[in-house]
Amino acid sequence: MERPPPGKVEDLATLAKLDEKVLLDELKIRYYNNDIYTYVGDILIAVNPFRDIGIYDDQTSYLYNLAKKTDHPPHIFAIADSAYQCMIGHGGRTPENQCILISGESGAGKTESTKLIIKQLVELCHGNTQLEQQILQVNPLLEAFGNAQTLMNDNSSRFGKYIQLQFHNGQVLGAKISEYLLEKSRLVHQGPGEETFHIFYYMMAGLPKTKQEHFCLAAADKYRYLACGTAGVSKDKESSKVKYDELLNALDLVGFTDEEQYDMFTMVTSVLHLGNVSFEEDDNDASNIPDMAPVDVVAKLLGVDSQDLAGTMTSIVTHTRGEQVTRHYTKQQAEEARNAVAKILYGRLFGWIVNKVNQLLAPTHIVPHSEQREIGILDIFGFEHFEKNSFEQACINLANEQLQYFFNHHVFKQEQEEYSREGIDWNEIKFVDNQPLLDLFLGRPVGILTVLDEESRFPRASEKTLVAKFNQKFGNVPYYKAAQSSNDSRFTILHYAGQVTYSADSWLEKNRDTLPPGVTEMLQSSNNALVKSIFRAQVTRTGSLSFQGRQSTRKTRRGHRPSLEAARKRKLTVGGQFKNSLQVLMERMTSATPIFIRCLKPNHVKAPGSFDLKYIQQQLLYTGMLETTKIRREGFAVRPSFDDFVNKYKVILCKPQLPGTRENCIKILKATGIQGWQVGRTKVFLKYFHIDQIADVLETMGKSAIHIQKLVRGFLGRRKAARRREVARQQAEKVAALLSQVEGLSMKLMSQQQTVKQNDKSIPPSFFGRPDSIIMEGPPPRVPDFPYGALSSVGGVSLTASDKRDYLQPKTFADSGTQASDSEEDEISDDEFVPVPSTQHPGNKMASVRWFQETQATQIYDPSQQNFIAEWFHGVISRRQSETLLKEKPTGTYLVRVSESRFGYTLSFKAEQRVRHYMIDQLRNKKFIVVGEPKVHKTLKDLIDYLKDNKLSNWDGYLIDPCGQESGECDYGDLVNERFYFTLEEQIKRMKTGKQRGIRESSRPLPPPPEDWHSPPIPDRNYSMAKDVERDMSKRPLPPRPAEAYHRLLHNQEAQHNVKLPKKK
């Protein structure tokens, strides 16, 4: 077979000759052709282009929708499609949980790949609920708080996350996120050219001036914690402001309330101010705070006492023999205490955000575990090697070692061991096993993390004593190299990806992650609800926050539960928590079928169009891609048992009952015509492409079955139609004969009557009936009911049950929907405002009326209208009624109506050819969104105002004019009772006196009144009844404003202006 031209090979495992040079040349040519994706069997190689190459649009997404792998070029969407097909059991596969593992260096494109996979999975679900939109917004939200710019990557993940998407019947059911090892030390120090977390730069660029003043914020260069990253504020301020607005929208869409967002930004700004607390030493080396202004600001923001806060950072209080002893910190110790408080504040805030996201994305209804399926996506920090590498880099690189081991174990070790057990003819492929290096870090009783934990328990331990123990314990290990000088606090580890030299500075402090005494108790009593909540939460063995306080089911030795004091003494270190996290992560990945994506970074300088051969070669070597290609080309990636194989593919032999034996497996394989398979002792061994080939056979058989069904159904249909035609013909003949007989009899009787009338003059005329001139008035007499249900035959032909149903039952017709539907079968989000015990709408108007009156009265308030009610608002009207109202209106005329079959609204407007309808949902945080659109709105009025200036995603137009009420009865009269106006008064008072908690410029409750507005708008002086409002813009009859409310408004106006207003006579 002739070799394809260079760069045209989409699957490198199909090459007959493959060596390092061929592999590099293929990737290089494909990279310069913008073909950044390449298959190695069922593994995807992705080379970061460092620019947008336009291959992620909706049309491309549509191509990879339940498609065969070979039908289209390699793509990240194809991996998502493959995982989805395997998860739902498409193409004869067994439905199984999937796990997508994305690995590579920092800056190789792992985070972007994660977002693209989630985007495609949502598209494959064909879902249009808010859950899918929320899931898409989670990544940008977490990136703002957990990502930062480093020398290797402009958007580097400074934490690891494992995203679990839960499915039921192919639809997203919910999601859960697990986070690992947030790099909190980045808060207090960043290396040259690096930045702290994105959120600080977004906030400095996007917060309105009023909010900056509220949070006492100054210029970015005034803050110690931003000293190394002030360029991040000034270099692209507009971009950061856009990111800030996108973050607010993501927070809204996911479901965070305004109060929660306010508290979040309060904690973030408190961290900035905390960094500006400075210390001095007196003659006794005791620290003190010369300027209490930053402390006062932090204390105010956190809701604690400033003296208590200052005391926890400058001294420690102990009790000895009933006496209180105060020991002052040195300046260095005070600075460490300050930094520890800042790190714990931010770290716990991040943990709370992840916990809140999981709460908001949890499944809304219970589905049996056996019916659930899951796709996990691992996006974890890439391998890092900086000029100075500390404890965080050691943990990050350890995580990458663990992932490399999982890859090697799954692709090489486990697979080749199975070949040996099953007696498969196989030549072993050598690979680099990094198990000894994992033992160096994680080994018990002697491992780097174990020794680190032991040293962390000794107060007098230092970096030198730690490195000395490392050298003593691991000096003879081949993967460990000690420094030449005994006073040097550095050591070197030979990782699978290369040699890395670590500095042990601050390892003990970072591993202990201790807080100054009294800080936790102080923050637990804070006046800030969020601060109080997160510091009363418990920390799990993996380092995440637990707010439910659930007890672990693991048994302790001798059945005794450890005391609280003992638990405090044995507090897990950061290294211990990270070790547990890796263990849990491996358990989750092992329970699913893994799919691997290898991300490659083409150059060091993050430049597009540059392919550094040497750099790429290093990445291919340490990831073992050459060996991987060989085992994918020669090995058997699919290994089902005999029973599973026969159960899935017995249809190929057209035998519904077939035992799962070796002989039957061979019969099926031969019937498919595929080549290169082997059969072991208990399993069938197939290459990765065999599944698609067998799926093609099943597809061909399926098409044949459909063709046979078509012919049989056509034959049966023609027979049935012929039988019905014969029945109809016989009925017609009988009816014609009956009519002929009736006509003959009537003519005969008429002739006889005329004869009698002429011959017998004694008979009075009234005997022969009424005169011809008299015509019976009124409708004809009613035809009596006929027991069609008891009818068994017509014209001698028996009727079946289907015949009776088709002929005798009345026909019903239903309107087809467009973008929204008011049918009862609509999928309804599990909103908190549902006023019935069940989240399912009962499907009647009464429920919608009650929901509106109890929760939505203020949403239709418009201060510009005399009766407070927005002109575009309509009551519980149907789709057809709204189309009647809008039919003759110009394009862009709109209305908002209350849905009868769901708790929500529908936006209806006149488009060019027809009336379009869009569902409006209210989120858990009481804000509104057009289903399928990304923008969240605080109120219905905000939503309408936004769509007057911005287009919907699938309509090229704007809302222009509201559609008011037509002449006749007002269609929202049953929604607006007398209590409505009193509710508005109460809400307006709340607006006037309530505390503003939002973080936006316009954060007032809906709708925002003018700044100089002090009381509710007063009606016209001659207003008394609804008839006076008929001169309003649409001549609509409106519910009257109750007299009591009107007089109360007059009284408020008089009291404010100290005048006596004329009363209507």
Side-chain angles (χ1 to χ4, degrees):
M1 182 177 177
E2 186 178 353
R3 184 188 185 279
K8 298 299 181 182
V9 179
E10 297 179 343
D11 186 350
L12 300 181
T14 61
L15 290 173
K17 179 184 178 182
L18 184 65
D19 54 26
E20 186 178 304
K21 184 178 183 305
V22 172
L23 187 62
L24 282 171
D25 289 344
E26 288 290 338
L27 292 177
K28 179 180 178 181
I29 296 173
R30 291 183 62 80
Y31 178 78
Y32 285 121
N33 290 337
N34 285 336
D35 296 325
I36 61 172
Y37 296 113
T38 307
Y39 291 131
V40 176
D42 53 356
I43 300 169
L44 182 72
I45 296 179
V47 186
N48 193 345
F50 290 116
R51 62 186 178 91
D52 184 4
I53 57 177
I55 61 171
Y56 306 108
D57 54 18
D58 292 340
Q59 293 181 347
T60 306
S61 174
Y62 181 75
L63 293 177
Y64 299 91
N65 190 333
L66 300 182
K68 289 192 296 185
K69 179 183 172 184
T70 55
D71 285 350
H72 306 290
H75 202 286
I76 190 77
F77 289 165
I79 295 298
D81 188 27
S82 175
Y84 185 77
Q85 291 185 41
C86 294
M87 188 264 299
I88 64 175
H90 181 74
R93 300 173 175 88
T94 301
E96 293 178 338
N97 294 337
Q98 304 293 305
C99 174
I100 302 175
L101 307 181
I102 309 172
S103 60
E105 287 195 359
S106 179
K110 299 183 298 300
T111 299
E112 292 302 314
S113 296
T114 300
K115 291 189 284 189
L116 290 169
I117 287 173
I118 295 176
K119 173 180 179 291
Q120 181 65 7
L121 288 174
V122 169
E123 291 294 328
L124 290 169
C125 295
H126 302 290
N128 198 25
T129 67
Q130 287 313 119
L131 178 60
E132 286 89 353
Q133 297 298 322
Q134 289 173 314
I135 291 173
L136 290 175
Q137 293 297 324
V138 166
N139 266 306
L141 192 162
L142 294 181
E143 283 180 24
F145 289 89
N147 286 28
Q149 177 179 310
T150 67
L151 293 176
M152 299 180 68
N153 187 0
D154 291 341
N155 187 33
S156 176
S157 297
R158 308 319 299 164
F159 72 106
K161 61 177 177 288
Y162 185 65
I163 305 171
Q164 297 167 270
L165 299 180
Q166 300 161 347
F167 295 84
H168 180 235
N169 294 332
Q171 298 297 311
V172 178
L173 186 67
K176 181 182 179 182
I177 297 173
S178 303
E179 51 96 5
Y180 308 102
L181 194 69
L182 178 70
E183 188 187 21
K184 295 180 292 186
S185 61
R186 178 166 293 272
L187 275 173
V188 300
H189 177 75
Q190 308 95 42
E194 296 196 346
E195 297 178 358
T196 186
F197 298 104
H198 293 327
I199 181 60
F200 293 98
Y201 307 107
Y202 296 170
M203 186 178 62
M204 298 299 290
L207 268 179
K209 289 185 178 179
T210 55
K211 296 305 174 186
Q212 291 188 21
E213 294 173 358
H214 177 77
F215 291 131
C216 304
L217 288 176
D221 57 1
K222 303 296 183 181
Y223 295 98
R224 179 183 286 109
Y225 286 167
L226 297 180
C228 295
T230 52
V233 180
S234 58
K235 69 178 180 181
D236 199 354
K237 190 171 183 179
E238 286 302 317
S239 176
S240 295
K241 188 177 186 306
V242 171
K243 292 287 188 182
Y244 172 82
D245 293 335
E246 291 176 352
L247 170 63
L248 295 186
N249 191 71
L251 288 167
D252 285 339
L253 186 52
V254 174
F256 288 81
T257 65
D258 283 349
E259 289 75 12
E260 290 169 340
Q261 295 179 39
Y262 176 88
D263 289 340
M264 288 165 59
F265 279 82
T266 297
M267 291 190 66
V268 172
T269 52
S270 69
V271 170
L272 275 184
H273 289 294
L274 192 61
N276 281 2
V277 177
S278 300
F279 303 94
E280 291 181 350
E281 282 184 344
D282 57 17
D283 296 337
N284 297 321
D285 294 334
S287 63
N288 61 79
I289 302 175
D291 182 9
M292 284 290 292
V295 179
D296 293 337
V297 173
V298 175
K300 179 182 177 182
L301 292 173
L302 295 179
V304 298
D305 183 77
S306 59
Q307 293 300 322
D308 291 344
L309 178 61
T312 58
M313 292 187 292
T314 56
S315 61
I316 179 174
V317 178
T318 58
H319 295 272
T320 305
R321 297 179 181 179
E323 296 183 0
Q324 179 176 302
V325 179
T326 301
R327 181 174 64 84
H328 290 277
Y329 292 146
T330 64
K331 180 180 179 180
Q332 181 181 352
Q333 290 173 331
E335 290 175 346
E336 292 175 354
R338 175 200 64 200
N339 293 341
V341 175
K343 288 188 290 185
I344 196 68
L345 279 171
Y346 194 84
R348 291 224 170 186
L349 172 64
F350 187 79
W352 173 83
I353 292 174
V354 174
N355 187 285
K356 182 69 176 180
V357 167
N358 289 336
Q359 175 190 344
L360 294 170
L361 299 186
T364 57
H365 56 280
I366 299 175
V367 174
H369 184 72
S370 59
E371 299 179 14
Q372 290 187 30
R373 293 292 178 266
E374 180 181 294
I375 296 180
I377 307 163
L378 179 65
D379 175 21
I380 204 164
F381 12 58
F383 189 86
E384 292 185 346
H385 184 191
F386 298 128
E387 184 175 342
K388 182 178 181 180
N389 302 282
S390 188
F391 177 67
E392 292 82 8
Q393 280 67 50
C395 291
I396 288 171
N397 293 340
L398 170 59
N400 282 270
E401 289 283 357
Q402 186 75 70
L403 292 182
Q404 181 66 18
Y405 169 79
F406 181 81
F407 177 84
N408 290 340
H409 184 77
H410 182 83
V411 174
F412 294 103
K413 189 173 183 179
Q414 185 180 19
E415 189 168 322
Q416 295 190 104
E417 288 177 352
E418 194 163 18
Y419 297 158
S420 177
R421 288 196 306 269
E422 293 284 331
I424 300 298
D425 184 15
W426 177 255
N427 294 323
E428 184 179 0
I429 295 177
K430 300 295 184 180
F431 67 97
V432 178
D433 188 358
N434 65 335
Q435 177 67 60
L437 198 141
L438 284 178
D439 294 338
L440 172 64
F441 272 94
L442 304 173
R444 290 182 178 179
V446 179
I448 287 179
L449 292 184
T450 305
V451 173
L452 176 62
D453 285 349
E454 290 176 355
E455 282 294 290
S456 299
R457 295 192 184 100
F458 296 104
R460 296 182 179 237
S462 65
E463 284 75 14
K464 290 185 178 180
T465 61
L466 175 65
V467 174
K469 280 201 173 182
F470 283 169
N471 296 337
Q472 176 188 355
K473 300 284 186 181
F474 313 116
N476 297 326
V477 177
Y479 298 95
Y480 180 92
K481 289 176 61 177
Q484 294 182 352
S485 172
S486 59
N487 294 325
D488 197 340
S489 62
R490 294 179 298 173
F491 59 94
T492 302
I493 301 293
L494 303 180
H495 287 282
Y496 80 99
Q499 178 176 298
V500 180
T501 298
Y502 295 99
S503 170
D505 293 343
S506 302
W507 273 47
L508 294 171
E509 175 193 345
K510 293 176 180 178
N511 188 51
R512 291 168 181 151
D513 195 27
T514 54
L515 266 180
V519 171
T520 300
E521 292 78 4
M522 175 187 66
L523 295 174
Q524 285 177 345
S525 59
S526 165
N527 295 329
N528 185 299
L530 179 58
V531 174
K532 181 189 298 184
S533 173
I534 64 177
F535 279 93
R536 290 187 176 184
Q538 297 180 356
V539 180
T540 67
R541 68 188 187 99
T542 60
S544 61
L545 289 183
S546 172
F547 292 86
Q548 298 175 355
R550 298 173 60 186
Q551 297 294 326
S552 173
T553 58
R554 298 194 308 167
K555 296 181 180 179
T556 57
R557 286 180 297 177
R558 299 181 183 178
H560 296 293
R561 187 177 300 277
S563 65
L564 182 61
E565 187 64 29
R568 286 176 178 172
K569 290 181 179 180
R570 291 197 298 270
K571 172 182 174 291
L572 271 175
T573 62
V574 173
Q577 293 172 353
F578 189 61
K579 188 190 301 184
N580 292 333
S581 298
L582 288 180
Q583 179 183 353
V584 172
L585 179 62
M586 290 301 110
E587 291 173 356
R588 288 173 176 165
M589 294 191 302
T590 304
S591 64
T593 302
I595 300 175
F596 298 100
I597 299 176
R598 288 291 196 183
C599 294
L600 302 180
K601 190 175 179 181
N603 56 75
H604 287 283
V605 293
K606 301 176 282 189
S610 174
F611 192 89
D612 188 334
L613 278 174
K614 186 176 181 181
Y615 189 36
I616 290 287
Q617 181 183 23
Q618 290 175 354
Q619 297 175 66
L620 292 176
L621 282 176
Y622 71 66
T623 56
M625 287 311 300
L626 184 62
E627 293 80 6
T628 302
T629 306
K630 290 179 180 179
I631 198 170
R632 277 294 174 261
R633 181 180 61 187
E634 301 171 11
F636 303 92
V638 183
R639 303 179 292 277
S641 66
F642 290 162
D643 286 336
D644 290 342
F645 184 79
V646 170
N647 287 334
K648 281 192 292 184
Y649 300 118
K650 61 187 175 183
V651 66
I652 295 176
L653 298 181
C654 301
K655 294 182 178 180
Q657 301 295 331
L658 197 64
T661 63
R662 188 176 192 274
E663 291 73 19
N664 289 331
C665 291
I666 295 174
K667 290 179 182 179
I668 294 173
L669 289 167
K670 289 182 177 179
T672 61
I674 63 176
Q675 302 293 327
W677 47 267
Q678 291 194 42
V679 178
R681 296 186 178 95
T682 62
K683 291 185 176 182
V684 176
F685 288 78
L686 305 172
K687 296 185 180 295
Y688 66 92
F689 53 82
H690 282 156
I691 293 297
D692 288 336
Q693 293 178 352
I694 299 178
D696 291 340
V697 174
L698 292 176
E699 184 179 356
T700 302
M701 295 183 68
K703 291 179 179 178
S704 300
I706 292 173
H707 184 70
I708 293 172
Q709 290 175 351
K710 179 181 71 173
L711 295 177
V712 172
R713 287 173 178 170
F715 170 74
L716 295 177
R718 288 189 293 272
R719 284 187 58 182
K720 188 174 183 179
R723 186 166 60 248
R724 291 183 174 181
R725 282 196 298 268
E726 179 61 23
V727 170
R729 185 188 64 77
Q730 293 177 6
Q731 289 177 341
E733 290 179 354
K734 291 186 176 183
V735 170
L738 178 61
L739 291 175
S740 177
Q741 292 176 8
V742 170
E743 182 180 10
L745 289 173
S746 64
M747 293 299 293
K748 182 178 179 180
L749 290 174
M750 184 178 295
S751 175
Q752 292 176 354
Q753 186 181 23
Q754 291 296 329
T755 302
V756 172
K757 187 176 182 180
Q758 292 175 1
N759 296 335
D760 192 350
K761 300 298 183 181
S762 63
I763 300 175
S766 60
F767 178 81
F768 297 101
R770 62 184 182 275
D772 294 339
S773 60
I774 299 177
I775 300 175
M776 181 181 293
E777 297 181 357
R782 179 177 178 272
V783 178
D785 293 335
F786 186 81
Y788 292 104
L791 192 64
S792 60
S793 64
V794 176
V797 179
S798 299
L799 293 179
T800 63
S802 60
D803 293 331
K804 296 179 185 180
R805 183 173 62 252
D806 294 341
Y807 279 111
L808 307 177
Q809 296 298 324
K811 306 297 183 189
T812 58
F813 301 92
D815 294 333
S816 59
T818 53
Q819 282 79 7
S821 173
D822 285 343
S823 66
E824 296 182 17
E825 290 75 22
D826 283 346
E827 186 175 351
I828 299 176
S829 300
D830 183 22
D831 299 326
E832 294 180 351
F833 53 79
V834 178
V836 292
S838 173
T839 58
Q840 184 70 31
H841 191 288
N844 56 62
K845 182 177 179 180
M846 185 67 68
S848 294
V849 171
R850 181 183 174 189
W851 165 77
F852 180 87
Q853 291 178 345
E854 292 182 356
T855 67
Q856 303 293 304
T858 58
Q859 289 302 325
I860 61 174
Y861 169 56
D862 188 349
S864 66
Q865 301 298 313
Q866 289 185 347
N867 67 322
F868 294 162
I869 300 176
E871 187 179 10
W872 40 260
F873 176 71
H874 287 255
V876 186
I877 62 175
S878 66
R879 172 196 296 271
R880 185 165 297 178
Q881 288 175 298
S882 67
E883 291 176 349
T884 301
L885 288 171
L886 295 167
K887 183 177 181 181
E888 304 301 329
K889 303 291 184 182
T891 300
T893 306
Y894 63 92
L895 61 86
V896 175
R897 54 191 172 93
V898 179
S899 173
E900 185 175 1
S901 61
R902 41 182 286 274
F903 295 118
Y905 300 90
T906 299
L907 170 66
S908 302
F909 60 86
K910 179 67 178 300
E912 291 76 8
Q913 303 295 331
R914 59 185 174 89
V915 175
R916 300 169 73 101
H917 307 271
Y918 290 76
M919 291 189 294
I920 299 176
D921 276 355
Q922 191 173 31
L923 304 175
R924 294 186 182 183
N925 54 13
K926 308 304 181 184
K927 298 181 182 181
F928 295 89
I929 188 169
V930 178
V931 174
E933 299 294 315
K935 179 66 176 174
V936 179
H937 310 274
K938 193 168 186 180
T939 66
L940 284 177
K941 186 176 184 298
D942 287 347
L943 185 150
I944 293 298
D945 292 342
Y946 176 82
L947 293 179
K948 289 180 179 179
D949 301 321
N950 299 271
K951 298 177 181 179
L952 289 163
S953 60
N954 59 351
W955 182 58
D956 192 22
Y958 302 91
L959 301 186
I960 300 175
D961 296 318
C963 176
Q965 302 286 322
E966 296 293 333
S967 58
E969 185 179 355
C970 176
D971 61 24
Y972 55 72
D974 51 351
L975 300 177
V976 181
N977 51 29
E978 289 190 358
R979 180 62 188 164
F980 168 75
Y981 296 98
F982 301 129
T983 303
L984 279 180
E985 282 191 289
E986 294 168 2
Q987 176 68 11
I988 291 169
K989 289 180 180 178
R990 218 175 292 122
M991 292 160 50
K992 182 178 177 182
T993 61
K995 182 180 179 182
Q996 306 303 323
R997 300 303 305 271
I999 51 149
R1000 298 167 175 78
E1001 187 73 61
S1002 58
S1003 59
R1004 297 179 292 272
L1006 195 171
E1011 293 181 359
D1012 58 349
W1013 184 77
H1014 301 287
S1015 64
I1018 193 167
D1020 292 339
R1021 300 294 180 258
N1022 61 351
Y1023 173 84
S1024 61
M1025 297 299 291
K1027 61 181 181 180
D1028 293 327
V1029 190
E1030 290 181 357
R1031 55 187 178 82
D1032 201 359
M1033 61 189 78
S1034 61
K1035 308 295 183 184
R1036 58 190 180 192
L1038 299 168
R1041 198 181 309 188
E1044 182 182 347
Y1046 168 70
H1047 290 307
R1048 188 183 303 168
L1049 294 174
L1050 283 178
H1051 178 74
N1052 292 342
Q1053 193 81 347
E1054 291 169 354
Q1056 178 186 344
H1057 298 287
N1058 197 23
V1059 296
K1060 192 71 174 178
L1061 297 174
K1063 299 185 181 296
K1064 183 183 175 187
K1065 297 180 180 179

